[in-house]
Amino acid sequence: MSLWEIDIYPAEGHVDRAGEEITSDAIDLGLAPSIKVAAVHGYLLEGSIDADEASLLANKLLADSIVEKTVVAPVGDPLLNEAPVDGAILVHVINKPGVMDPVAMSAQQGISDLGIGVEQVRTFRKYWITGVDEASVHRLAEKVLANDAIELAVHGPLQLEALAMGAASEFELKTIPIRDLDDDGLELLSKDGQLYLTLIEMQTIQQHFQQLERDPTDIELESVAQTWSEHCSHKTLAGRIAYKDGETERHFENMLKETVFAATVKIREELGAEDWCVSVFKDNAGIVTFDDDFNVAFKVETHNHPSALEPYGGANTGIGGVIRDTLGTGLGAKPICNTDIFCFANPEIAHSDLPAGVLHPRRVMKGVVSGVRDYGNRMGIPTVNGAIYFDDRYLGNPLVYAGNVGLIPKEKSFKEALPGEWAVVIGGRTGRDGIHGATFSSAELTSDSEMLSGGAVQIGNAITEKMVMDVMLEARDQELYSCVTDCGAGGLSSAIGEMGEEIGVEVYLDKAPLKYDGLSYTEIWISEAQERMVFSVSDENWEAFRSLCESEGVEATIVGKFVDHGRLVLKYQDTVVGDLTMEFLHDGRPPIIRDAHYQIPEVQPIDLNGKAGNLEQDLVAILGSLNVASKEWVVRQYDHEVQAGSVIKPLVGVQNDGPGDAAVVKPVLGSNRGITVSCGMNPRYGDYDTYHMAASAIDEAVRNSVAVGADPSRIAVLDNFCWGYTDRPETLGSLVRAALACHDLAVELKTPFISGKDSLNNEFSYQNDAGEKVTISIPPTLLISAMGQVDDVTSCTTMDAKEAGNVIYLVGVTKRELGGSHWTLVNELDGGAVPTVCPENCNKTFPAVHQAIKSGLVRACHDLSEGGLAVAAAEMAFAGGLGLKLDLAKVATDADYQGDEDTLIKLFSESNTRFLIEVAPENCDAFESGLEGATLSRIGSVTEDDQLVVESGGQLLLSTPVGQLKEAWQSPLRW
Amino acid sequence: MTTPKVLVLRAPGTNCDHETKYAFELAGGQADRVHLNRVLENPALVEQYQIMCIPGGFSYGDDVAAGRIFANQLRSQLADVMHEFKNSDKLILGICNGFQVLIKSGLLLEDDAQGDPPATLCWNNHGLYEDRWVTLQNSTDKCVFLRGIQQVYLPIAHAEGKFVMRDQQVADQLESNQQLALRYVNSDGAPADGFPENPNGAQRNVAGVCDDSGRVFGLMPHPERFLDGTQHPRWTREGLQQEGDGVAIFRNAVEYFA
């Protein structure tokens, strides 16, 4: 057995791109500008390999002889450690043992294809650093080169004797003496065991086992903790809540059920025979009808805590997880598009201002974007929609929302495991990955989280999931299984536990295929190793199922059997290691009872007089503010056209770079029926009133879809609540108030919620220089995702101005609503009234706009959001490469405003339910009569001269070249 | 006219196989999606097909390098049957990842004396994956797939699409033999003068290459993503084209057997 190292350098004359990027990150970090980093990547190969074979592998398989050169030698050979430049300091970065290494797995496949015996392969990176001292190199290693959560930085030459890891461990049944513990003992057990259960929950478990007259085994305690975790049971929001806000008081038995879910029930009742919801709030994703053959499923998940620790892996497995959600919906939906929304702190923050334990937001953003890109692109699922929101309160808790839409044959929309069937796991093998991810998501992050929960970080392998997807959709069509679900948080414990909830199941833990030896039965049960799905397969179909999987290189293993006894029985070899009733597991959790208070704030008016002196400066500042600025750098890294169904792309306009309102895809090749995907989110409004924040987010998500052509009577929405520490009554109160708005607006607009998810306790604590504890809580952040439908995609439209001479209309009423607006943001002002939503106005406006678009009367349509009319007009103009000339005197308002007030409200107010619409002169009459019920202002026209000109009754307020506005919008995030 | 049978060869990670099959069928062929494992088990399977297409995606994750593992399998396990297919007046098309596989397998350009391909596809100049529409000019008379085509507008979506040749001599030889078939150009048809018209920094603006016979062709852009008017990024401004620019490439392949 020998251990070879293969180092791969760029060939002469070829650029070291990775080295250049790290050099630039190092200078950003504040290291001396004299620094220069050369980057090398490489492989460690263990096996019976001779020098010729090692050289063959290096030069024919692992490196490209045209653009790369190699150094090949046994590990430790001085040849490998000869500095390419005198005095260069050497650092290696290698994954910690057990961290997923997909490249090594593929390399191993390639090597065995060549008939060379290799036992183990690992990849690593190697850096040669000049121009700085050792201390700077250590700082670089810590901040840029390696992430401590998954990687090890080795200073100097690599010293390794073998790669193999894991040793077989002796089986040992562990029981946890719980019956005699006092409350302190119970709390300590919950904390030390990373169970994150409350005292009342621990007491309930204690009583249960006192009645059984035995102590639980470790795996029983873990199973309960997983099942009762916030992540799996949503115990806070589905719990009892006593809410009061000064105007109303309400007692909820199950808050979510009585607000968000109740709205859907009411809408479905009203629709009666016309009900188009199929399966809501019960499966992994919500399902609605689509066409004669198919339904569509939609789910958005969050993966915040893992992304805070390891942005690439966290985002990577976030998108991987939500794709498995749609795959595990009904008997399996085929994923057709992704949507990804992120929240970060300002990426320009100084390194010296970062608290300990926090990754720099720029590094977080780059990592998250790469993670989503690499997984989504490899899965062959177009990422068509997204948003990025910046606020410094996301410093310790970045938010990563990942969503997926799937297409499912109508008759495959429901599933049921049957007694006597096998529980089968397919896909990735089980390792120590992500142990305690589900319970960890109940915890607040601290600067120690990285140490405590490194195991909770996972890295995905998209190709394994792609292979699982390909084979399972084939197995679905061959009707080889009767139930499926994904392995997500809680791993097998959640997946098998849920599938067997109504029946009972016995599990053979020793049968699960492992990545390496040494896992205990409990680790196997709760591992969150990625890319696994669980199926219920009858004995009759097992052989066909297994051989189909094998034919595409996917491992399928029987790990249990559904048995009609209402119990969860866990076995390791011949020993029963756990035996719980499904009833205790799923219904035994004591209800959480919480108080929720909300103080509806009074509006503090802003005095607008004298503040309209810098309109151009204000507009340029808003266009360049991070939330509004172009996200093209991100969008282009996503494949948004794979599957060939992209009809309205995320970037639109004459140069394919304007900000589209919503994406449209047609998921069935050869059919013109389409799906729209859009979103709404405005955390700044939540600082004023979370009710109106939620209402505005719904309005925004819906109007974005309507703007491209979606039928407002067929828009389904999803909620994702990301909040701070909800044990605090006022934090929970702000959430309940948002949920009340979700209920009210959904019912009024007839937009059913079909699925949702929450992520609570998004707070970060650290000690400041003075030794005081500081806690940063994220702002209340509600993401509303909308999925609309279009009968015929050829009637869709986009937001870019199309032709000089066309007329510009503003649809909707403009009000004095500058609270939380981007105009106040760039002017550093507080106060003002937050935008509200008038449902009657929505119900007059959305259908009328839709009808006009569908009839072909609309040449361009753009929604008004951050920055109001001014920003929408600027975007419409520069996306179309044309000018606009607008007269504010024509803008319809709710009241008579004067002077500066009038100008600022009309230009920058963020009132909801408004659109800017371009109509050809010959269609104006038809358009106007179609919009009769809505508020319509004919405010100007499209011009040839690439200027954005704004007047008010003859007085010139603004005249700016659109090129200048576009540059302001494009430059901030042009990375 | 005879309907040619098309083998759409997919491997773990291939992800454009459905739309590529659809494109060939729209053009009048009869296409099957076949897993590489079926061909490895039974190499004679390919004999019943007239056209072989390796579609886009991330075969084996593009781990190690884009297309490398798949190409390595063709080289080490299917070389005979692949060369037999190539030499029997049949057609081979590689799109994006398929182009990367073809060039690294030695099927598209003959290996040099050291047994290495004379050209490669490597990381885009800016080091990132990029999805973007580009204008392309046909610059050969010999490529079957490009017959009658002058200019096409198609999307690219790749990280490793920069075409690089081993040296000047290789470049001149491929150029004079009209194998540098498809080039990135500006919208006015002039050679692309850098990013973004040439999106990856490819030498001589090369987006697609054919073999000496013109029957084996690989290209980075995705013709299967522009089959109908609604796929054009500006159809809402410019109106709906009758058919997408990509169709002609598939039709040329099918009509070769007419």
Side-chain angles (χ1 to χ4, degrees):
Chain A
M1 198 70 77
S2 47
L3 185 56
W4 289 87
E5 176 176 334
I6 295 170
D7 292 352
I8 302 176
Y9 289 78
E12 297 300 327
H14 290 274
V15 188
D16 173 11
R17 229 159 263 114
E20 285 179 352
E21 178 149 344
I22 286 168
T23 302
S24 125
D25 288 348
I27 295 167
D28 281 350
L29 183 66
L31 299 183
S34 56
I35 191 169
K36 198 158 184 331
V37 182
V40 184
H41 70 279
Y43 297 84
L44 298 169
L45 311 178
E46 186 175 48
S48 41
I49 302 168
D50 63 27
D52 287 346
E53 286 172 330
S55 162
L56 176 90
L57 291 177
N59 298 310
K60 300 290 180 188
L61 180 69
L62 301 174
D64 187 314
S65 69
I66 298 177
V67 294
E68 294 169 331
K69 63 180 183 190
T70 58
V71 179
V72 184
V75 170
D77 192 302
L79 184 67
L80 296 163
N81 302 314
E82 279 175 16
V85 185
D86 278 348
I89 301 171
L90 176 61
V91 180
H92 288 90
V93 176
I94 185 158
N95 279 352
K96 288 186 173 170
V99 171
M100 171 79 84
D101 188 347
V103 176
M105 288 163 71
S106 295
Q108 195 150 2
Q109 155 107 48
I111 295 168
S112 62
D113 287 338
L114 291 172
I116 294 176
V118 66
E119 301 278 330
Q120 292 275 340
V121 179
R122 270 168 83 184
T123 63
F124 65 94
R125 303 189 304 277
K126 177 167 180 164
Y127 301 96
W128 294 102
I129 301 148
T130 51
V132 288
D133 59 10
E134 286 277 357
S136 299
V137 170
H138 277 266
R139 186 161 149 73
L140 180 72
E142 183 197 337
K143 294 287 176 194
V144 176
L145 300 182
N147 183 347
D148 207 30
I150 53 163
E151 294 166 328
L152 206 61
V154 178
H155 293 267
L158 209 51
Q159 309 283 356
L160 264 180
E161 310 214 321
L163 298 180
M165 53 164 300
S169 61
E170 286 291 305
F171 167 71
E172 188 195 345
L173 183 64
K174 280 189 195 147
T175 50
I176 311 288
I178 188 177
R179 285 178 290 171
D180 298 328
L181 291 179
D182 61 11
D183 287 352
D184 288 347
L186 289 173
E187 287 193 311
L188 192 68
L189 175 62
S190 172
K191 187 162 175 274
D192 287 353
Q194 295 188 46
L195 303 174
Y196 299 111
L197 292 171
T198 63
L199 179 61
I200 300 169
E201 290 166 338
M202 290 300 288
Q203 288 166 340
T204 305
I205 297 169
Q206 186 179 44
Q207 284 154 16
H208 182 74
F209 283 94
Q210 282 166 345
Q211 281 162 15
L212 294 178
E213 296 181 354
R214 67 175 177 91
D215 278 316
T217 62
D218 56 344
I219 200 169
E220 288 174 330
L221 207 49
E222 289 281 3
S223 297
V224 176
Q226 299 285 340
T227 313
W228 293 4
S229 69
E230 187 63 59
H231 192 91
C232 296
S233 73
H234 302 276
K235 55 194 174 191
T236 301
L237 302 192
R240 288 184 194 161
I241 294 176
Y243 171 78
K244 57 181 176 195
D245 64 15
E247 283 177 4
T248 48
E249 275 193 46
R250 277 188 66 176
H251 279 269
F252 297 99
E253 278 301 307
N254 177 328
M255 196 276 291
L256 280 181
K257 203 168 174 183
E258 292 164 51
T259 54
V260 177
F261 187 48
T264 304
V265 171
K266 199 178 271 180
I267 293 166
R268 295 184 74 178
E269 277 169 13
E270 284 172 9
L271 286 169
E274 302 294 305
D275 177 20
W276 46 278
C277 294
V278 176
S279 166
V280 293
F281 290 103
K282 60 181 178 197
D283 208 335
N284 289 316
I287 307 179
V288 300
T289 60
F290 180 61
D291 66 9
D292 290 342
D293 302 318
F294 296 100
N295 293 327
V296 274
F298 191 19
K299 174 64 171 279
V300 176
E301 262 284 11
T302 53
H303 221 219
N304 305 330
H305 290 63
S307 302
L309 295 181
E310 213 300 284
Y312 181 87
N316 199 260
T317 51
I319 185 79
V322 79
I323 292 167
R324 287 196 304 281
D325 273 329
T326 18
L327 281 173
T329 295
L331 286 164
K334 180 194 173 197
I336 54 165
C337 61
N338 292 331
T339 171
D340 297 286
I341 292 88
F342 315 133
C343 300
F344 303 122
N346 185 347
E348 304 302 332
I349 189 173
H351 280 271
S352 53
D353 292 344
L354 284 184
V358 164
L359 297 175
H360 193 278
R362 192 179 173 96
R363 183 169 176 191
V364 174
M365 178 165 161
K366 282 188 172 180
V368 165
V369 169
S370 315
V372 165
R373 171 195 69 202
D374 287 356
Y375 212 101
N377 291 356
R378 275 172 175 71
M379 287 300 293
I381 303 166
T383 296
V384 299
N385 178 70
I388 306 181
Y389 210 92
F390 295 89
D391 186 303
D392 283 345
R393 289 170 286 177
Y394 297 116
L395 190 62
N397 292 89
L399 303 183
V400 173
Y401 300 85
N404 180 261
V405 179
L407 189 72
I408 184 165
K410 277 184 152 29
E411 69 282 7
K412 306 283 185 193
S413 302
F414 297 94
K415 60 188 167 192
E416 189 183 8
L418 300 170
E421 292 184 330
W422 298 115
V424 175
V425 62
I426 79 166
R429 292 188 154 209
T430 299
R432 285 207 176 88
D433 328 42
I435 302 263
H436 283 134
T439 54
F440 169 56
S441 74
S442 308
E444 176 195 344
L445 287 186
T446 70
S447 45
D448 292 334
S449 298
E450 216 178 302
M451 306 277 288
L452 185 67
S453 303
V457 175
Q458 311 127 48
I459 304 289
N461 186 353
I463 293 313
T464 304
E465 186 151 309
K466 176 71 165 71
M467 291 162 74
V468 165
M469 174 171 90
D470 289 349
V471 84
M472 81 162 266
L473 293 176
E474 183 59 40
R476 176 197 73 184
D477 293 344
Q478 293 183 25
E479 303 184 343
L480 296 180
Y481 57 85
S482 55
C483 191
V484 58
T485 199
D486 69 304
C487 265
L492 292 174
S493 103
S494 295
I496 297 183
E498 267 170 42
M499 267 171 86
E501 184 176 345
E502 307 291 330
I503 313 169
V505 64
E506 59 181 37
V507 185
Y508 321 126
L509 292 164
D510 53 301
K511 299 281 190 268
L514 304 181
K515 291 181 183 175
Y516 36 81
D517 285 340
L519 269 71
S520 72
Y521 57 85
T522 302
E523 288 175 315
I524 295 169
W525 184 231
I526 62 171
S527 157
E528 296 184 4
Q530 298 291 301
E531 289 96 24
R532 299 178 300 166
M533 303 284 291
V534 177
F535 295 79
S536 177
V537 182
S538 70
D539 198 45
E540 187 188 344
N541 285 329
W542 163 242
E543 189 43 40
F545 184 88
R546 191 203 57 76
S547 79
L548 176 64
C549 289
E550 187 183 35
S551 78
E552 302 213 352
V554 174
E555 196 166 29
T557 314
I558 290 176
V559 294
K561 188 174 196 171
F562 296 98
V563 184
D564 202 2
H565 58 21
R567 309 182 73 80
L568 173 68
V569 177
L570 304 170
K571 293 181 176 173
Y572 190 82
Q573 292 158 352
D574 295 326
T575 312
V576 173
V577 296
D579 185 350
L580 293 164
T581 63
M582 288 293 183
E583 191 188 2
F584 177 67
L585 195 59
H586 291 282
D587 301 320
R589 180 169 56 73
I592 298 217
I593 305 167
R594 293 212 197 290
D595 283 330
H597 301 159
Y598 194 77
Q599 181 72 45
I600 300 170
E602 281 183 27
V603 175
Q604 305 294 326
I606 318 178
D607 181 5
L608 299 174
N609 283 318
K611 295 199 172 68
N614 296 307
L615 297 175
E616 181 175 296
Q617 201 180 312
D618 287 351
L619 174 57
V620 165
I622 298 173
L623 286 168
S625 66
L626 292 171
N627 295 334
V628 175
S630 171
K631 311 297 185 299
E632 183 173 354
W633 179 82
V634 178
V635 174
R636 289 211 182 278
Q637 293 186 57
Y638 298 150
D639 188 344
H640 43 263
E641 297 177 289
V642 62
Q643 298 192 16
S646 164
V647 172
I648 302 293
K649 302 176 204 301
L651 297 167
V652 301
V654 67
Q655 292 184 300
N656 305 338
D657 58 6
D661 287 325
V664 182
V665 296
K666 43 180 198 178
V668 181
L669 289 168
S671 157
N672 270 346
R673 186 163 177 83
I675 300 267
T676 70
V677 183
S678 59
C679 56
M681 188 164 86
N682 8 49
R684 283 180 53 78
Y685 297 172
D687 294 339
Y688 293 80
D689 189 332
T690 51
Y691 186 94
H692 299 302
M693 170 185 83
S696 297
I698 295 171
D699 189 90
E700 184 182 14
V702 169
R703 75 178 182 256
N704 273 320
S705 267
V706 169
V708 295
D711 176 352
S713 70
R714 287 294 292 274
I715 295 177
V717 290
L718 306 181
D719 62 85
N720 284 88
F721 292 90
C722 288
W723 244 255
Y725 191 59
T726 43
D727 284 3
R728 267 196 312 266
E730 54 274 29
T731 304
L732 186 58
S734 68
L735 191 155
V736 173
R737 186 159 165 85
L740 291 170
C742 288
H743 169 270
D744 297 351
L745 266 288
V747 169
E748 294 278 3
L749 270 59
K750 293 190 172 49
T751 50
F753 281 92
I754 60 169
S755 183
K757 206 69 191 267
D758 55 80
S759 164
L760 308 180
N761 306 323
N762 287 287
E763 302 204 344
F764 179 82
S765 298
Y766 65 101
Q767 284 205 330
N768 68 10
D769 294 340
E772 300 148 337
K773 182 177 168 178
V774 181
T775 298
I776 312 174
S777 176
I778 63 161
T781 310
L782 172 66
L783 170 69
I784 299 292
S785 306
M787 175 175 69
Q789 303 197 16
V790 185
D791 290 340
D792 179 354
V793 295
T794 62
S795 70
C796 287
T797 190
T798 50
M799 52 70 67
D800 46 309
K802 303 294 190 307
E803 197 174 347
N806 285 349
V807 175
I808 296 291
Y809 291 91
L810 175 64
V811 181
V813 187
T814 303
K815 304 174 189 169
R816 186 187 175 115
E817 292 179 324
L818 285 161
S821 69
H822 270 56
W823 181 79
T824 60
L825 176 74
V826 301
N827 284 293
E828 297 175 2
L829 296 168
D830 286 321
V834 72
T836 55
V837 178
C838 169
E840 300 88 86
N841 183 29
C842 294
N843 289 332
K844 285 177 189 157
T845 306
F846 292 145
V849 168
H850 172 62
Q851 206 48 49
I853 292 173
K854 195 175 175 183
S855 315
L857 299 174
V858 171
R859 287 295 282 133
C861 180
H862 192 20
D863 96 299
L864 273 66
S865 55
E866 285 96 347
L869 172 62
V871 165
E875 289 175 342
M876 187 183 253
F878 63 62
L882 293 162
L884 288 189
K885 188 173 180 209
L886 308 179
D887 182 358
L888 292 189
K890 306 278 177 54
V891 171
T893 50
D894 62 328
D896 206 10
Y897 302 110
Q898 300 297 326
D900 286 355
E901 186 181 45
D902 182 67
T903 303
L904 291 169
I905 289 169
K906 286 174 173 172
L907 276 178
F908 298 116
S909 168
E910 297 182 7
S911 295
N912 285 297
T913 330
R914 294 185 302 159
F915 300 91
L916 203 54
I917 291 183
E918 174 187 349
V919 179
E922 65 272 21
N923 291 324
C924 285
D925 289 348
F927 177 77
E928 288 178 20
S929 67
L931 269 283
E932 244 164 27
T935 306
L936 193 62
S937 314
R938 182 170 173 151
I939 62 168
S941 57
V942 182
T943 60
E944 199 68 68
D945 65 355
D946 3 305
Q947 293 272 323
L948 176 64
V949 177
V950 180
E951 300 171 346
S952 187
Q955 186 201 345
L956 183 68
L957 296 171
L958 193 73
S959 176
T960 309
V962 294
Q964 185 187 327
L965 297 171
K966 186 172 180 178
E967 179 59 23
W969 177 74
Q970 285 188 320
S971 55
L973 293 173
R974 192 191 275 144
W975 285 2
Chain B
M1 155 174 162
T2 51
T3 301
K5 285 188 71 180
V6 186
L7 172 70
V8 177
L9 186 57
R10 68 187 176 99
T14 298
N15 63 30
C16 303
D17 44 329
H18 287 278
E19 54 267 41
T20 302
K21 170 181 152 80
Y22 176 77
F24 275 109
E25 292 186 337
L26 194 70
Q30 189 255 303
D32 296 325
R33 294 165 51 245
V34 177
H35 197 284
L36 177 60
N37 288 355
R38 303 293 80 71
V39 180
L40 290 169
E41 289 156 9
N42 175 22
L45 185 69
V46 305
E47 287 164 14
Q48 57 180 293
Y49 294 93
Q50 288 74 51
I51 301 171
M52 182 184 307
C53 178
I54 303 180
F58 289 80
S59 55
Y60 301 96
D62 277 2
D63 297 334
V64 181
R68 181 77 56 71
I69 307 275
F70 192 162
N72 185 47
Q73 288 177 317
L74 295 182
R75 264 180 193 278
S76 62
Q77 294 170 64
L78 295 169
D80 291 349
V81 68
M82 296 305 286
H83 281 97
E84 169 68 26
F85 192 96
K86 173 179 167 176
N87 295 330
S88 49
D89 200 26
K90 294 180 173 181
L91 300 180
I92 302 178
L93 176 64
I95 301 170
C96 193
N97 195 236
F99 181 23
Q100 293 160 336
V101 171
L102 285 184
I103 205 153
K104 293 174 187 182
S105 68
L107 276 169
L108 184 52
L109 300 175
E110 301 277 331
D111 285 347
D112 61 20
Q114 286 72 45
D116 291 321
T120 191
L121 290 157
C122 64
W123 273 88
N124 298 346
N125 266 359
H126 61 29
L128 295 173
Y129 188 97
E130 173 106 359
D131 180 326
R132 176 183 290 281
W133 283 68
V134 292
T135 308
L136 302 146
Q137 183 93 35
N138 177 7
S139 54
T140 182
D141 296 328
K142 67 163 47 167
C143 180
V144 170
F145 296 87
L146 296 175
R147 284 178 182 170
I149 292 173
Q150 289 189 331
Q151 217 178 68
V152 282
Y153 188 56
L154 296 173
I156 55 115
H158 61 246
E160 298 175 53
K162 177 183 179 180
F163 182 74
V164 176
M165 294 166 280
R166 188 171 295 279
D167 51 35
Q168 181 82 19
Q169 199 188 338
V170 169
D172 291 343
Q173 203 260 327
L174 291 174
E175 174 104 52
S176 66
N177 201 31
Q178 292 203 38
Q179 286 178 250
L180 305 179
L182 196 62
R183 313 288 182 101
Y184 300 109
V185 293
N186 295 339
S187 54
D188 61 5
D193 38 21
F195 187 84
E197 285 78 11
N198 175 342
N200 49 36
Q203 290 179 352
R204 302 196 186 198
N205 290 320
V206 172
V209 174
C210 65
D211 76 334
D212 181 46
S213 74
R215 289 181 289 102
V216 183
F217 179 48
L219 75 169
M220 288 314 299
H222 285 274
E224 81 286 5
R225 294 187 185 181
F226 190 23
L227 303 176
D228 81 62
T230 64
Q231 292 163 323
H232 190 286
R234 295 185 304 277
W235 69 267
T236 61
R237 305 181 66 80
E238 297 169 10
L240 283 168
Q241 275 179 227
Q242 277 292 321
E243 78 175 18
D245 289 5
V247 178
I249 291 176
F250 298 99
R251 191 181 293 128
N252 278 332
V254 169
E255 287 182 351
Y256 184 73
F257 298 94

